[in-house]
Amino acid sequence: MTTGTVTGSADIADLYRDLHQHPELSFAETRTSGIVAARMRAAGFETTEGVGRTGVVGVLRNGPGPTVLLRADMDALPMEERTGLPYASRARGIDRDGNDVPVAHSCGHDVHVTCLIGAARALAQDRSWQGTVLVVFQPAEEFGQGAQAMVDDGLYDRFGRPEVVLGQHVAPFPAGHLAVRPGPAFAAADAVRVVLHGRGGHGSRPETTVDPVVMAAATVLRLQTIVSREIAGTDTAVVTVGALRAGTKENIIPEDAELLISIRTFEPEVRRRTLDAIERIVRAEATASGADRDPTITLLHGFPAVVNEPGAVARTRPAFEALVGPGRVFEPGPVTGSEDVGLLATAADAPCVFWLLGGADPAQFADARSAEAMMARVAELPSNHSPLFAPVIEPTLTTGVGALVAAARTWLHAEAGQLSKSRS
Ligand SMILES: [Zn+2]
Ligand SMILES: [Zn+2]
């Protein structure tokens, strides 16, 4: 691998393919953070590793002026990649339950890391700006814990408080396009684990048991009524039971059943109502089943919606339009996917601008002439977290590097010489 002063897109593409082939699970991003740290040091950043376990922070001071935070997340997912790409991942890792699992960059965080390294290097090489660039390579976004871990490890006390938090996420719309939405952009995400306690026994003698399988089945169905019957038609919520586990054999009624539930909302009031309703229904179904013990309900993680500060979006968007052309920057609908980048902004009491970076092959959109046709095509393509998710390398990486640089320069002060030059 090359390091140092090479800035060509070929070098960036090589870096991307390398990261893509070597994905690492949340809080296990040791190889990735080692590469990141070496690249940041080579670019001239004061670099600190091990912030929030596996996070990396780079600081580049260039005179008086604002501090601008640029963020990339580094972790991959416990799933098998089936893209068939020559650089597809065949990596494996150990998940948080201790299982040996395939690992893939199916959310595209390798794109984010590559683009931020490219942008940091570009900002270091052309210092016609004043202020401080703070680059944050965050672990464990997929757990919803990495941003908080870095804040808890003194991110802002040790490295300074930024005036703005900037970042991007790759998505399956045409590469060369950017999308940014003022207001709520990504949903709040909560993960809840429920254990329903029954009373086990022989499958032939249900009258001597409290069957947690039936309790779980009734609970899953009743949970579906939260969104359909308790949330207003004008509000948005998603309640997904992503895992349902109970039992080992057909003639044993088990002791317990476990549910893992994902909740997405945009408004704090809707979030509170949804979480309250889940607890109420779980407890009521246990009572209805005659359970001897109350169910165990655990919030595994929860983080708030990502809200893009409208004034900050208005300030940043023209830079994107100058980069890719005004027709290639659009305002998407709110995304029910979630991101913990918002925590970095709230912890710094700074505005957040978090945008989407097109990563799909533009050739797939050749006949999609209207915005509607484009969105219809987006819906057909593999999304993030699909085993087939495969961002095209270019123009995705060049656009992602450019967007980070352009956004950062919007918030940094123009260097005096540069300012007078541009005014003459
Ligand atoms: Zn993801
Ligand atoms: Zn992601």
Side-chain angles (χ1 to χ4, degrees), residues 250-332:
E250 83 288 349
N251 64 354
I252 302 172
I253 294 171
E255 285 282 317
D256 298 318
E258 180 193 48
L259 311 182
L260 298 177
I261 309 169
S262 178
I263 302 105
R264 308 296 165 116
T265 53
F266 290 97
E267 301 297 331
E269 169 58 19
V270 177
R271 184 185 185 196
R272 194 191 56 73
R273 279 189 67 148
T274 305
L275 289 171
D276 286 353
I278 287 171
E279 179 165 358
R280 190 192 74 236
I281 287 169
V282 166
R283 292 192 187 287
E285 288 293 345
T287 304
S289 297
D292 308 317
R293 281 171 62 199
D294 280 343
T296 310
I297 303 172
T298 315
L299 185 66
L300 295 176
H301 63 74
F303 51 97
V306 176
V307 180
N308 281 328
E309 206 271 306
V313 171
R315 183 168 164 187
T316 311
R317 185 173 165 145
F320 293 157
E321 292 175 343
L323 178 73
V324 295
R328 288 167 174 255
V329 181
F330 66 95
E331 186 179 318

Coordinates of all heavy atoms in Angstrom, one line a residue, residues 250-332:
E250 N -39.6 -30.2 19.6 CA -41.1 -30.1 19.4 C -41.9 -30.5 20.7 O -43.0 -30.0 20.9 CB -41.6 -30.9 18.2 CG -41.8 -32.4 18.4 CD -40.5 -33.2 18.6 OE1 -39.4 -32.6 18.4 OE2 -40.6 -34.3 19.0
N251 N -41.4 -31.3 21.5 CA -42.2 -31.8 22.7 C -41.7 -31.2 24.0 O -42.0 -31.8 25.0 CB -42.2 -33.3 22.7 CG -40.9 -33.9 22.9 OD1 -39.9 -33.2 23.0 ND2 -40.8 -35.2 23.1
I252 N -40.9 -30.1 23.9 CA -40.6 -29.4 25.2 C -41.1 -28.0 25.1 O -40.8 -27.3 24.2 CB -39.0 -29.3 25.3 CG1 -38.4 -30.7 25.4 CG2 -38.7 -28.5 26.6 CD1 -36.9 -30.6 25.3
I253 N -42.0 -27.7 26.1 CA -42.4 -26.3 26.2 C -41.3 -25.5 27.0 O -41.0 -25.9 28.1 CB -43.8 -26.2 26.9 CG1 -44.8 -26.8 26.0 CG2 -44.1 -24.7 27.2 CD1 -46.2 -27.0 26.7
P254 N -40.7 -24.5 26.3 CA -39.5 -23.9 27.0 C -39.8 -23.0 28.1 O -41.0 -22.7 28.3 CB -38.8 -23.1 25.8 CG -39.9 -22.8 24.9 CD -41.0 -23.9 25.0
E255 N -38.8 -22.6 28.8 CA -39.0 -21.7 30.0 C -39.2 -20.3 29.5 O -40.0 -19.5 30.1 CB -37.7 -21.7 30.8 CG -37.5 -23.0 31.7 CD -38.4 -23.0 32.9 OE1 -38.5 -21.9 33.5 OE2 -39.0 -24.0 33.2
D256 N -38.4 -19.8 28.5 CA -38.4 -18.4 28.1 C -38.5 -18.3 26.6 O -38.3 -19.2 25.8 CB -37.0 -17.8 28.5 CG -36.8 -17.8 30.0 OD1 -37.7 -17.6 30.7 OD2 -35.6 -18.1 30.4
A257 N -38.9 -17.0 26.2 CA -38.8 -16.6 24.8 C -38.2 -15.3 24.7 O -38.4 -14.4 25.6 CB -40.2 -16.6 24.1
E258 N -37.4 -15.0 23.7 CA -36.7 -13.7 23.6 C -37.2 -13.0 22.3 O -37.2 -13.6 21.2 CB -35.2 -14.0 23.5 CG -34.4 -12.7 23.4 CD -32.9 -12.9 23.0 OE1 -32.7 -13.7 22.1 OE2 -32.1 -12.4 23.7
L259 N -37.4 -11.7 22.4 CA -37.7 -10.9 21.3 C -36.7 -9.8 21.2 O -36.3 -9.2 22.2 CB -39.1 -10.2 21.4 CG -40.3 -11.0 21.7 CD1 -41.5 -10.1 21.7 CD2 -40.5 -12.1 20.7
L260 N -36.2 -9.5 20.0 CA -35.3 -8.3 19.8 C -36.1 -7.3 18.9 O -36.5 -7.7 17.8 CB -34.0 -8.7 19.1 CG -33.1 -9.6 20.0 CD1 -31.8 -10.0 19.2 CD2 -32.7 -9.0 21.3
I261 N -36.3 -6.1 19.3 CA -37.2 -5.2 18.7 C -36.4 -3.9 18.3 O -35.7 -3.4 19.1 CB -38.4 -4.8 19.6 CG1 -39.0 -6.1 20.2 CG2 -39.4 -3.9 18.9 CD1 -40.0 -5.8 21.3
S262 N -36.6 -3.5 17.0 CA -36.0 -2.2 16.6 C -37.1 -1.2 16.4 O -38.2 -1.5 15.8 CB -35.3 -2.5 15.2 OG -34.8 -1.3 14.7
I263 N -36.9 0.0 16.9 CA -37.9 1.1 16.9 C -37.3 2.3 16.2 O -36.2 2.7 16.6 CB -38.4 1.5 18.3 CG1 -39.0 0.2 19.0 CG2 -39.4 2.6 18.3 CD1 -38.1 -0.4 20.1
R264 N -38.0 2.9 15.2 CA -37.5 4.1 14.6 C -38.6 5.2 14.6 O -39.8 4.9 14.3 CB -37.2 3.8 13.1 CG -36.3 2.6 12.9 CD -34.9 2.9 13.4 NE -34.1 1.7 13.5 CZ -33.0 1.5 12.9 NH1 -32.5 2.4 12.1 NH2 -32.4 0.3 13.0
T265 N -38.2 6.3 15.1 CA -39.1 7.5 15.1 C -38.4 8.8 14.8 O -37.1 8.8 14.8 CB -39.7 7.6 16.6 OG1 -38.6 7.6 17.5 CG2 -40.7 6.4 16.9
F266 N -39.1 9.8 14.6 CA -38.5 11.1 14.3 C -38.7 12.2 15.4 O -37.9 13.0 15.7 CB -38.9 11.7 13.0 CG -38.4 11.0 11.8 CD1 -39.2 10.0 11.2 CD2 -37.2 11.2 11.3 CE1 -38.7 9.3 10.1 CE2 -36.6 10.5 10.3 CZ -37.4 9.5 9.7
E267 N -39.9 12.1 16.0 CA -40.3 13.1 17.0 C -40.1 12.5 18.4 O -40.5 11.4 18.7 CB -41.7 13.6 16.9 CG -42.0 14.2 15.5 CD -41.2 15.4 15.2 OE1 -40.9 16.1 16.2 OE2 -40.9 15.7 14.1
P268 N -39.5 13.3 19.4 CA -39.3 12.7 20.7 C -40.6 12.2 21.4 O -40.7 11.2 22.0 CB -38.8 13.9 21.5 CG -38.2 14.8 20.5 CD -38.9 14.6 19.2
E269 N -41.8 13.0 21.1 CA -43.0 12.6 21.7 C -43.5 11.2 21.1 O -44.0 10.3 21.9 CB -44.1 13.7 21.5 CG -45.5 13.3 21.8 CD -45.7 12.9 23.2 OE1 -44.9 13.2 24.1 OE2 -46.8 12.2 23.5
V270 N -43.3 11.0 19.8 CA -43.7 9.7 19.2 C -42.8 8.6 19.7 O -43.3 7.5 20.0 CB -43.6 9.9 17.7 CG1 -43.9 8.5 17.0 CG2 -44.5 11.0 17.2
R271 N -41.5 8.9 19.9 CA -40.6 7.9 20.4 C -41.0 7.5 21.8 O -41.1 6.3 22.1 CB -39.2 8.6 20.5 CG -38.1 7.7 20.9 CD -36.8 8.5 21.1 NE -35.7 7.6 21.4 CZ -34.5 8.0 21.8 NH1 -34.3 9.3 22.0 NH2 -33.5 7.2 22.1
R272 N -41.4 8.4 22.7 CA -41.8 8.1 24.0 C -43.0 7.2 24.0 O -43.1 6.2 24.7 CB -42.0 9.4 24.8 CG -42.1 9.2 26.3 CD -42.6 10.4 27.1 NE -43.8 10.9 26.6 CZ -45.0 10.3 26.8 NH1 -45.1 9.2 27.5 NH2 -46.1 10.8 26.3
R273 N -44.0 7.6 23.2 CA -45.3 6.9 23.1 C -45.1 5.5 22.7 O -45.7 4.5 23.2 CB -46.2 7.6 22.1 CG -47.0 8.8 22.7 CD -48.0 9.2 21.7 NE -49.1 8.2 21.5 CZ -50.3 8.5 21.2 NH1 -50.7 9.8 21.1 NH2 -51.2 7.6 21.1
T274 N -44.2 5.3 21.7 CA -43.9 4.0 21.1 C -43.3 3.1 22.1 O -43.7 1.9 22.3 CB -43.1 4.1 19.8 OG1 -43.7 5.0 18.9 CG2 -42.9 2.8 19.1
L275 N -42.2 3.6 22.8 CA -41.5 2.8 23.8 C -42.5 2.5 25.0 O -42.4 1.3 25.5 CB -40.3 3.6 24.3 CG -39.2 3.7 23.3 CD1 -38.1 4.6 23.8 CD2 -38.5 2.3 23.0
D276 N -43.3 3.4 25.4 CA -44.3 3.1 26.5 C -45.2 2.0 26.0 O -45.6 1.2 26.8 CB -45.1 4.4 26.8 CG -44.2 5.4 27.6 OD1 -43.1 5.0 28.0 OD2 -44.7 6.5 27.8
A277 N -45.7 2.1 24.8 CA -46.7 1.1 24.3 C -46.1 -0.3 24.3 O -46.7 -1.3 24.6 CB -47.2 1.5 22.9
I278 N -44.8 -0.3 23.8 CA -44.1 -1.7 23.8 C -44.1 -2.3 25.2 O -44.5 -3.4 25.4 CB -42.7 -1.5 23.2 CG1 -42.8 -1.3 21.7 CG2 -41.9 -2.8 23.5 CD1 -41.5 -0.9 21.0
E279 N -43.7 -1.5 26.2 CA -43.6 -2.0 27.5 C -45.0 -2.4 28.0 O -45.2 -3.5 28.6 CB -43.0 -0.9 28.5 CG -43.0 -1.4 29.9 CD -42.0 -0.6 30.8 OE1 -41.4 0.4 30.3 OE2 -42.0 -0.9 32.0
R280 N -46.0 -1.6 27.8 CA -47.4 -1.9 28.2 C -47.9 -3.2 27.6 O -48.4 -4.1 28.3 CB -48.3 -0.7 27.8 CG -49.7 -0.8 28.4 CD -50.6 0.2 27.8 NE -51.0 -0.3 26.4 CZ -50.8 0.4 25.3 NH1 -50.3 1.6 25.3 NH2 -51.2 -0.1 24.2
I281 N -47.7 -3.4 26.3 CA -48.1 -4.6 25.6 C -47.4 -5.8 26.1 O -48.0 -6.9 26.4 CB -48.0 -4.4 24.1 CG1 -49.1 -3.4 23.6 CG2 -48.1 -5.7 23.4 CD1 -48.9 -2.9 22.2
V282 N -46.1 -5.7 26.2 CA -45.3 -6.9 26.7 C -45.8 -7.4 28.1 O -46.0 -8.5 28.3 CB -43.8 -6.5 26.7 CG1 -43.0 -7.6 27.4 CG2 -43.3 -6.4 25.2
R283 N -45.9 -6.4 29.0 CA -46.4 -6.8 30.3 C -47.8 -7.3 30.3 O -48.1 -8.3 31.0 CB -46.3 -5.6 31.3 CG -44.9 -5.1 31.5 CD -44.8 -4.1 32.7 NE -43.4 -3.6 32.8 CZ -42.4 -4.3 33.2 NH1 -42.6 -5.5 33.7 NH2 -41.2 -3.8 33.2
A284 N -48.7 -6.7 29.5 CA -50.1 -7.2 29.5 C -50.2 -8.6 28.9 O -51.0 -9.4 29.3 CB -50.9 -6.2 28.7
E285 N -49.4 -8.9 27.8 CA -49.5 -10.2 27.2 C -49.0 -11.3 28.2 O -49.5 -12.4 28.3 CB -48.7 -10.3 25.9 CG -49.4 -9.5 24.8 CD -50.7 -10.2 24.3 OE1 -51.0 -11.3 24.7 OE2 -51.5 -9.5 23.6
A286 N -47.9 -10.9 29.0 CA -47.5 -11.8 30.0 C -48.5 -12.1 31.1 O -48.8 -13.3 31.5 CB -46.2 -11.3 30.7
T287 N -49.2 -11.0 31.5 CA -50.3 -11.2 32.4 C -51.5 -12.0 31.8 O -52.0 -12.9 32.5 CB -50.9 -9.8 32.8 OG1 -49.8 -9.0 33.4 CG2 -52.0 -9.9 33.9
A288 N -51.8 -11.7 30.6 CA -52.8 -12.5 29.9 C -52.5 -14.0 29.8 O -53.4 -14.8 29.8 CB -53.1 -11.9 28.5
S289 N -51.2 -14.3 29.7 CA -50.8 -15.7 29.6 C -50.8 -16.4 31.0 O -50.5 -17.6 31.1 CB -49.4 -15.8 29.0 OG -49.5 -15.3 27.7
G290 N -50.9 -15.6 32.1 CA -50.8 -16.2 33.4 C -49.3 -16.4 33.8 O -49.1 -17.3 34.6
A291 N -48.4 -15.6 33.3 CA -47.0 -15.8 33.6 C -46.8 -15.5 35.1 O -47.4 -14.6 35.7 CB -46.1 -14.8 32.8
D292 N -45.9 -16.3 35.7 CA -45.6 -16.2 37.2 C -44.7 -15.0 37.4 O -44.7 -14.4 38.5 CB -44.9 -17.4 37.8 CG -45.7 -18.7 37.4 OD1 -47.0 -18.6 37.6 OD2 -45.1 -19.7 37.1
R293 N -43.9 -14.7 36.4 CA -42.8 -13.7 36.6 C -43.0 -12.6 35.5 O -43.4 -12.9 34.4 CB -41.4 -14.2 36.4 CG -40.9 -15.0 37.6 CD -39.6 -15.7 37.2 NE -38.5 -14.8 36.8 CZ -37.5 -15.2 36.1 NH1 -37.3 -16.4 35.7 NH2 -36.6 -14.3 35.7
D294 N -42.7 -11.3 35.9 CA -42.8 -10.2 34.9 C -41.7 -10.4 33.9 O -40.7 -11.0 34.1 CB -42.5 -8.9 35.6 CG -43.7 -8.4 36.4 OD1 -44.8 -8.9 36.1 OD2 -43.5 -7.5 37.3
P295 N -42.0 -10.0 32.6 CA -41.0 -10.1 31.6 C -39.8 -9.2 31.9 O -40.0 -8.2 32.6 CB -41.7 -9.6 30.3 CG -43.0 -9.0 30.8 CD -43.3 -9.4 32.2
T296 N -38.7 -9.5 31.3 CA -37.5 -8.6 31.5 C -37.4 -7.8 30.2 O -37.3 -8.3 29.1 CB -36.2 -9.5 31.6 OG1 -36.5 -10.5 32.6 CG2 -35.0 -8.7 32.0
I297 N -37.4 -6.5 30.4 CA -37.3 -5.6 29.2 C -36.0 -4.7 29.4 O -35.8 -4.0 30.4 CB -38.5 -4.7 29.2 CG1 -39.8 -5.5 29.2 CG2 -38.5 -3.7 28.0 CD1 -41.1 -4.7 29.3
T298 N -35.2 -4.8 28.4 CA -33.9 -4.1 28.4 C -33.7 -3.2 27.2 O -33.9 -3.7 26.1 CB -32.7 -5.1 28.4 OG1 -33.0 -6.1 29.3 CG2 -31.4 -4.4 28.8
L299 N -33.4 -1.9 27.4 CA -33.0 -1.1 26.3 C -31.6 -1.3 25.9 O -30.7 -1.0 26.7 CB -33.3 0.4 26.7 CG -33.1 1.4 25.6 CD1 -34.1 1.3 24.5 CD2 -33.1 2.9 26.1
L300 N -31.3 -2.0 24.8 CA -30.0 -2.3 24.4 C -29.2 -1.1 24.0 O -28.0 -0.9 24.4 CB -29.9 -3.3 23.3 CG -30.5 -4.7 23.6 CD1 -30.5 -5.5 22.3 CD2 -29.7 -5.4 24.7
H301 N -29.8 -0.3 23.2 CA -29.2 1.1 22.9 C -30.3 1.9 22.4 O -31.4 1.5 21.9 CB -28.0 1.0 21.9 CG -28.4 0.5 20.6 ND1 -29.1 1.2 19.6 CD2 -28.1 -0.7 20.0 CE1 -29.2 0.5 18.5 NE2 -28.6 -0.7 18.7
G302 N -30.1 3.2 22.5 CA -31.1 4.2 22.0 C -30.4 5.5 21.7 O -29.5 5.9 22.5
F303 N -30.6 6.0 20.5 CA -30.0 7.3 20.2 C -31.0 8.2 19.4 O -31.9 7.7 18.7 CB -28.7 7.2 19.6 CG -28.5 6.4 18.4 CD1 -28.6 6.9 17.1 CD2 -28.3 5.0 18.6 CE1 -28.5 6.1 16.0 CE2 -28.2 4.2 17.5 CZ -28.3 4.7 16.2
P304 N -30.9 9.5 19.6 CA -31.9 10.4 19.0 C -31.8 10.5 17.5 O -30.9 10.1 16.9 CB -31.6 11.7 19.7 CG -30.1 11.7 20.0 CD -29.9 10.2 20.3
A305 N -32.8 11.2 17.0 CA -32.8 11.5 15.5 C -31.7 12.4 15.1 O -31.2 13.1 16.0 CB -34.2 12.1 15.1
V306 N -31.2 12.3 13.9 CA -30.2 13.2 13.4 C -31.0 14.4 12.8 O -31.8 14.2 11.9 CB -29.4 12.6 12.3 CG1 -28.4 13.7 11.7 CG2 -28.6 11.4 12.8
V307 N -30.8 15.6 13.4 CA -31.6 16.8 12.9 C -30.6 17.7 12.3 O -29.7 18.2 13.0 CB -32.3 17.4 14.1 CG1 -33.1 18.6 13.6 CG2 -33.3 16.4 14.8
N308 N -30.7 17.9 11.0 CA -29.8 18.9 10.4 C -30.3 20.3 10.6 O -31.5 20.6 10.3 CB -29.8 18.6 8.8 CG -28.9 17.5 8.5 OD1 -27.9 17.2 9.1 ND2 -29.3 16.8 7.4
E309 N -29.4 21.1 11.2 CA -29.8 22.5 11.5 C -30.1 23.3 10.2 O -29.2 23.4 9.4 CB -28.7 23.1 12.4 CG -29.2 24.2 13.3 CD -29.1 25.6 12.6 OE1 -28.1 25.9 12.1 OE2 -30.2 26.3 12.6
P310 N -31.3 23.8 10.0 CA -31.6 24.4 8.7 C -30.7 25.5 8.3 O -30.3 25.6 7.1 CB -33.1 24.9 8.9 CG -33.6 24.0 10.0 CD -32.5 23.7 10.9
G311 N -30.3 26.4 9.2 CA -29.4 27.4 8.8 C -28.0 26.9 8.4 O -27.4 27.4 7.4
A312 N -27.6 25.9 9.0 CA -26.3 25.3 8.7 C -26.4 24.6 7.3 O -25.4 24.6 6.5 CB -25.8 24.3 9.8
V313 N -27.5 23.9 7.0 CA -27.7 23.3 5.7 C -27.7 24.4 4.6 O -27.0 24.2 3.6 CB -29.0 22.5 5.7 CG1 -29.3 22.0 4.3 CG2 -28.9 21.3 6.6
A314 N -28.4 25.5 4.9 CA -28.5 26.6 3.9 C -27.1 27.1 3.6 O -26.8 27.5 2.5 CB -29.4 27.7 4.4
R315 N -26.3 27.2 4.6 CA -24.9 27.7 4.5 C -24.0 26.8 3.7 O -23.1 27.2 2.9 CB -24.3 28.0 5.9 CG -23.0 28.6 5.9 CD -22.6 29.0 7.2 NE -21.1 29.3 7.3 CZ -20.5 29.6 8.4 NH1 -21.1 29.7 9.6 NH2 -19.2 29.8 8.4
T316 N -24.2 25.4 3.8 CA -23.4 24.4 3.2 C -23.8 24.0 1.8 O -22.9 23.8 1.0 CB -23.3 23.2 4.1 OG1 -23.1 23.6 5.5 CG2 -22.2 22.2 3.7
R317 N -25.1 24.0 1.6 CA -25.6 23.5 0.3 C -25.0 24.1 -1.0 O -24.7 23.5 -1.9 CB -27.1 23.6 0.3 CG -27.7 22.9 -0.9 CD -29.2 22.8 -0.9 NE -29.7 22.5 -2.2 CZ -30.7 21.8 -2.5 NH1 -31.4 21.3 -1.5 NH2 -31.1 21.6 -3.7
P318 N -24.8 25.5 -1.0 CA -24.2 26.1 -2.2 C -22.8 25.5 -2.5 O -22.5 25.4 -3.7 CB -24.1 27.6 -1.8 CG -25.1 27.8 -0.8 CD -25.2 26.5 0.0
A319 N -22.1 25.1 -1.5 CA -20.8 24.5 -1.8 C -20.9 23.2 -2.6 O -20.1 22.8 -3.5 CB -20.0 24.3 -0.5
F320 N -22.0 22.4 -2.2 CA -22.3 21.2 -2.9 C -22.7 21.5 -4.4 O -22.3 20.8 -5.3 CB -23.4 20.4 -2.2 CG -23.0 19.9 -0.9 CD1 -24.0 19.6 0.1 CD2 -21.7 19.7 -0.5 CE1 -23.7 19.1 1.3 CE2 -21.4 19.2 0.8 CZ -22.4 18.9 1.7
E321 N -23.5 22.5 -4.5 CA -24.0 22.8 -5.9 C -22.8 23.3 -6.7 O -22.8 23.0 -7.9 CB -25.1 23.9 -5.8 CG -26.3 23.3 -5.1 CD -27.4 24.3 -4.9 OE1 -27.2 25.5 -4.9 OE2 -28.6 23.9 -4.6
A322 N -21.9 24.0 -6.1 CA -20.7 24.4 -6.9 C -19.8 23.2 -7.3 O -19.2 23.2 -8.4 CB -19.9 25.4 -6.1
L323 N -19.9 22.2 -6.4 CA -19.0 21.0 -6.7 C -19.6 20.1 -7.8 O -18.9 19.7 -8.7 CB -18.9 20.2 -5.4 CG -18.1 18.9 -5.5 CD1 -16.6 19.2 -5.6 CD2 -18.4 18.0 -4.3
V324 N -20.9 19.8 -7.7 CA -21.4 18.8 -8.6 C -22.5 19.4 -9.6 O -22.9 18.7 -10.5 CB -22.1 17.6 -7.8 CG1 -21.0 16.8 -7.1 CG2 -23.2 18.1 -6.9
G325 N -22.8 20.6 -9.4 CA -23.9 21.2 -10.3 C -25.2 21.3 -9.5 O -25.5 20.3 -8.8
P326 N -25.9 22.4 -9.6 CA -27.1 22.6 -8.8 C -28.2 21.5 -9.1 O -28.9 21.0 -8.2 CB -27.7 23.9 -9.3 CG -26.7 24.5 -10.2 CD -25.6 23.5 -10.5
G327 N -28.2 20.9 -10.3 CA -29.2 19.9 -10.6 C -28.9 18.5 -10.0 O -29.7 17.6 -10.0
R328 N -27.7 18.5 -9.4 CA -27.3 17.2 -8.8 C -27.3 17.2 -7.3 O -26.7 16.3 -6.7 CB -25.9 16.8 -9.3 CG -25.9 16.4 -10.8 CD -24.5 16.4 -11.4 NE -24.5 15.9 -12.7 CZ -24.1 14.7 -13.1 NH1 -23.6 13.9 -12.2 NH2 -24.2 14.3 -14.3
V329 N -27.9 18.2 -6.7 CA -28.1 18.2 -5.3 C -29.6 18.3 -5.0 O -30.2 19.2 -5.5 CB -27.4 19.5 -4.6 CG1 -27.6 19.5 -3.1 CG2 -25.9 19.5 -5.0
F330 N -30.1 17.3 -4.3 CA -31.5 17.3 -4.1 C -31.8 17.1 -2.6 O -30.9 16.8 -1.8 CB -32.3 16.3 -4.9 CG -31.9 14.9 -4.7 CD1 -32.7 14.1 -3.8 CD2 -30.8 14.2 -5.3 CE1 -32.4 12.8 -3.5 CE2 -30.6 12.9 -5.0 CZ -31.4 12.2 -4.1
E331 N -33.1 17.4 -2.3 CA -33.5 17.2 -0.9 C -34.3 15.9 -0.7 O -35.4 15.8 -1.3 CB -34.4 18.5 -0.5 CG -34.8 18.5 1.0 CD -35.6 19.7 1.3 OE1 -35.3 20.8 0.9 OE2 -36.5 19.5 2.1
P332 N -33.8 15.0 0.0 CA -34.5 13.7 0.1 C -35.6 13.8 1.2 O -35.6 14.7 2.0 CB -33.4 12.7 0.5 CG -32.5 13.6 1.3 CD -32.5 15.0 0.8

